[in-house]
Amino acid sequence: MGKFMVVEVKTGTKFNLVAGNGEIIGISEVYSSKASCLKGIESVRKNSAKANIEDQTAGESAVNPKFELYTDKAGEFRFRLKATNGEIILTSEGYKAKASCKNGISSVIKNAADAPVVEAD
């Protein structure tokens, strides 16, 4: 089972969604407070469950909430989860293959719903 790992950084608090195998699936922005970070986690839970998938590499479009699948400047596949209001609430690392990126999206959907929130040491 995955988990939301809350991490304190110099400029605030962020979270990583970590899969059961320890791999980071998604990364949040840095929030100014822990309370805001926890609200961000709840937003990922709520929005990922009902998000559409917009494959920008295939010219598709979708309404928010959505996962945007795209290629970065280095040619790697990435995704970002946008909330109903269009704000980016989770981003991925780069993937060499589109299928791996799609698996990352599936992993967010599967893990976010009931992943516990834990604090980094």
Side-chain angles (χ1 to χ4, degrees):
M1 176 170 51
K3 62 187 171 188
F4 285 100
M5 178 73 65
V6 176
V7 182
E8 296 292 330
V9 295
K10 288 181 183 177
T11 56
T13 308
K14 69 175 197 152
F15 66 83
N16 297 326
L17 177 56
V18 182
N21 64 3
E23 292 289 318
I24 294 174
I25 311 166
I27 304 160
S28 77
E29 66 178 311
V30 176
Y31 295 90
S32 58
S33 70
K34 186 176 172 186
S36 296
C37 182
L38 295 175
K39 286 181 184 176
I41 290 171
E42 289 311 309
S43 184
V44 169
R45 287 188 203 280
K46 181 177 78 174
N47 287 287
S48 65
K50 61 184 179 182
N52 300 295
I53 297 176
E54 176 180 286
D55 184 348
Q56 295 179 347
T57 67
E60 296 176 3
S61 64
V63 296
N64 294 326
K66 64 184 172 184
F67 286 96
E68 291 179 338
L69 189 154
Y70 64 99
T71 52
D72 64 16
K73 290 178 183 172
E76 291 189 321
F77 295 93
R78 294 180 178 265
F79 66 82
R80 57 188 160 232
L81 174 59
K82 286 190 168 182
T84 306
N85 65 4
E87 187 171 326
I88 297 169
I89 53 177
L90 192 72
T91 59
S92 74
E93 297 180 336
Y95 295 90
K96 299 268 185 237
K98 187 177 189 176
S100 299
C101 188
K102 287 183 173 182
N103 287 341
I105 292 170
S106 296
S107 188
V108 169
I109 295 166
K110 182 178 93 174
N111 285 286
D114 55 1
V117 176
V118 297
E119 302 215 14
D121 297 333

